Amino acid sequence: MLRLIGAVGSALVLCCVMAFCGSIALVAFASQGTTTTCVGVATGASATVSIAILGQAPAMLSASQATVAESYVYVGRARAVPHDGIVIALMMALQESGLQMLANTSVPESLNLPHDGLGSDHDSVGSAQQRPSAGWGSVAELMQPAYNAEAFYGGPQGPNRGSPRGLLDVPGWRQMDNGAAAQAVQGSAFPERYAKWQPEAEAILAGLGASTTPPACDPDKSGPAQPSVPSDLSQLRREVLAYAQEGVGGAYVWGGTAFKAWDCSGYVRWVYGQAGVQLPRTEQWTAGTLTTVPQPGDLVVQNPDGPNHWGHVGIYAGNGMMYSALNPVVGTLLHPVAWNGGTAYFYLGLPPGK
């Protein structure tokens, strides 16, 4: 169903959604002969994806549209959303934005964030045209496709805890017509328009989400090997790295602070707390000092979403690598710093050497 064919017949099968507390990067699993690696897919790439639709001409998705579609598929899979629920989400996104991340000329902040096009409906932004003024989330959050998916699905694990309600918060949604279920969440002035997208949504799910669970990218194949610890690194920094490693494999839970059931800041706070360094629950950079010469054990912040404010935090491991809790699909892992943008580092008072 899904084919992205290059000049020599190589295929890319999109596999992992990496949501970084306040941002997303799509990772693709590239197969060419016997070589396997995880590589980033940039929004706005020139490649296209052809989706076969029974009885219709194939649908052509740009790489950025495929990225948005993958977000809904894999967040849905991670949340154990039934097949029909993911189809409904794709129908909604096809109607609302054409699977594009839309900024809004009436929301200046959105224009400064990555986007594929412009919309102008009230203060609606993103792939689901969700409104910050209606409580769906901040502008920075709503300009991320993984967050759009989380908010649309809603339910107990959703970011909005049922207000506004997502699909899983709608009583009896599985007994509804798919278009009516989408309308129950979106409240569109044109409720009849969702249903026409069902064939495309079914085909996209068959092409992009054939597996019942999203394949996990092996961190060892997605970048450099785990960094070696410098021989002169202080004992306290070694302890921070050891506790960070202990947390690898933990689940990502919105707002979570429990061991291996945390979000990005919950993980960071636990790690430093185990080493005897107490940090605030959020905005942990306020306890540190900005540094341009990071050492293993320093705080990493990424995805700036305001003046002196960032949407993701992690722990620097050295050699361009970091530990962080990414999203519900992949949880907590060691990964390249380059997987996300807007990076800065903070020194938290840890002694640099022995």
Side-chain angles (χ1 to χ4, degrees):
M1 287 287 186
L2 168 62
R3 293 177 294 172
L4 182 54
I5 309 298
V8 294
S10 63
L12 291 181
V13 181
L14 298 175
C15 82
C16 296
V17 176
M18 304 294 184
F20 305 93
C21 284
S23 189
I24 177 173
L26 242 297
V27 172
F29 187 79
S31 177
Q32 190 172 25
T34 59
T35 302
T36 303
T37 184
C38 286
V39 297
V41 177
T43 298
S46 59
T48 59
V49 177
S50 176
I51 303 291
I53 304 173
L54 185 63
Q56 298 185 32
M60 302 300 295
L61 302 184
S62 68
S64 59
Q65 288 174 310
T67 295
V68 171
E70 283 288 334
S71 302
Y72 285 95
V73 173
Y74 287 137
V75 170
R77 295 298 192 203
R79 296 275 302 280
V81 175
H83 175 94
D84 284 351
I86 300 175
V87 170
I88 292 166
L90 291 169
M91 290 166 59
M92 177 279 300
L94 282 161
Q95 171 58 34
E96 296 287 358
S97 66
L99 294 174
Q100 297 182 89
M101 293 304 296
L102 299 181
N104 191 318
T105 53
S106 299
V107 186
E109 182 182 348
S110 70
L111 302 174
N112 297 322
L113 298 167
H115 58 278
D116 303 312
L118 296 176
S120 58
D121 180 25
H122 296 87
D123 61 337
S124 300
V125 295
S127 63
Q129 290 292 276
Q130 294 154 330
R131 299 179 63 181
S133 65
W136 283 102
S138 69
V139 174
E141 288 170 333
L142 296 176
M143 290 300 293
Q144 301 152 29
Y147 183 92
N148 295 161
E150 287 276 0
F152 179 80
Y153 291 126
Q157 295 177 299
N160 295 317
R161 301 296 189 268
S163 181
R165 68 181 186 178
L167 181 67
L168 302 180
D169 303 308
V170 176
W173 71 266
R174 298 197 71 177
Q175 284 71 54
M176 294 180 180
D177 171 81
N178 283 354
Q183 170 65 8
V185 178
Q186 296 297 105
S188 172
F190 304 97
E192 74 285 356
R193 294 184 179 178
Y194 296 110
K196 67 181 179 181
W197 294 107
Q198 183 156 342
E200 286 84 351
E202 293 275 10
I204 289 169
L205 179 54
L208 299 184
S211 63
T212 56
T213 57
C217 288
D218 182 347
D220 290 336
K221 295 178 181 178
S222 61
Q226 184 171 332
S228 58
V229 177
S231 59
D232 61 348
L233 196 68
S234 71
Q235 181 59 35
L236 184 55
R237 287 178 180 270
R238 290 172 182 269
E239 291 178 8
V240 168
L241 295 179
Y243 286 119
Q245 178 62 37
E246 184 178 341
V248 168
Y252 182 101
V253 178
W254 284 95
T257 58
F259 178 65
K260 291 198 171 183
W262 42 40
D263 59 14
C264 59
S265 57
Y267 166 63
V268 165
R269 188 169 187 256
W270 180 86
V271 169
Y272 283 106
Q274 295 302 113
V277 179
Q278 300 304 314
L279 295 178
R281 169 68 182 90
T282 60
E283 300 183 349
Q284 292 148 341
W285 54 86
T286 60
T289 303
L290 191 67
T291 178
T292 57
V293 188
Q295 296 191 48
D298 283 339
L299 185 74
V300 185
V301 297
Q302 298 182 309
N303 303 329
D305 54 11
N308 299 314
H309 200 277
W310 293 266
H312 180 61
V313 295
I315 298 164
Y316 187 54
N319 295 341
M321 301 288 286
M322 64 183 286
Y323 293 98
S324 77
L326 289 175
N327 80 332
V329 176
V330 295
T332 309
L333 75 167
L334 174 71
H335 63 87
V337 173
W339 273 5
N340 221 9
T343 301
Y345 302 91
F346 282 82
Y347 165 66
L348 296 174
L350 279 62
K354 293 181 179 179

